[in-house]
Amino acid sequence: MNETYRGIVPYLFYDDVETAMAWYTRVFGFEEIGRWNNDAGQVQNAEMRVGTTELWLDGSGRRQSDEKRPDWIGIWVEDVDAIYRQITGAGVICDAPMDREFGVRMLTVDDGMGHLWGFIKRLEQQQV
């Protein structure tokens, strides 16, 4: 059976979901779909969307590990440079997008909460 994949939904863990939601709204343009609070009134789970991409957030805390490597979330976009202008316009400092040797133009943004976000577009000669 051949299935058509329509996207990926990252499910990420946070110490403070509300702070993450505010940052993703301000910087990346995500909108809230829904939120569910725990008994203490804190956001335990939330869903956000930008375009057709969804993000699910869990407030049970970042995983503890000896390995300090951040998670990486890749998002295919039409215009990496437009995303760069949006992000820097929101006051976030990051390196400019660059063409990578593996055939994509990429912008990497650190959200300061343990995740690296990669905004990517295939270079024309690498279309599949």
Side-chain angles (χ1 to χ4, degrees):
M1 176 168 79
N2 289 331
E3 278 298 314
T4 300
Y5 286 56
R6 297 176 192 236
I8 295 175
V9 178
Y11 187 87
L12 304 174
F13 295 85
Y14 300 85
D15 294 323
D16 182 349
V17 171
E18 286 189 76
T19 297
M21 292 174 70
W23 198 89
Y24 296 142
T25 297
R26 180 178 65 83
V27 176
F28 295 155
F30 274 84
E31 64 179 326
E32 181 178 329
I33 299 171
R35 69 170 67 197
W36 296 267
N37 294 342
N38 61 21
D39 292 337
Q42 299 166 317
V43 178
Q44 182 62 42
N45 293 98
E47 296 177 1
M48 303 187 81
R49 173 178 43 229
V50 64
T52 59
T53 300
E54 288 190 23
L55 171 64
W56 295 356
L57 301 87
D58 185 300
S60 61
R62 292 275 304 144
R63 69 172 179 248
Q64 300 300 311
S65 169
D66 290 339
E67 189 174 347
K68 299 300 180 195
R69 181 176 41 177
D71 296 325
W72 185 86
I73 302 100
I75 300 176
W76 295 106
V77 298
E78 289 297 318
D79 187 342
V80 174
D81 295 281
I83 298 294
Y84 175 71
R85 290 188 296 275
Q86 174 185 331
I87 290 167
T88 56
V92 174
I93 297 170
C94 61
D95 292 335
M98 60 187 295
D99 294 346
R100 303 297 306 265
E101 64 278 4
F102 42 89
V104 298
R105 184 156 181 78
M106 184 179 347
L107 166 67
T108 301
V109 181
D110 186 335
D111 68 10
M113 295 171 274
H115 309 99
L116 293 177
W117 292 77
F119 295 91
I120 49 180
K121 179 181 176 146
R122 288 215 184 275
L123 297 171
E124 292 301 317
Q125 68 272 18
Q126 297 293 321
Q127 294 291 331
V128 291

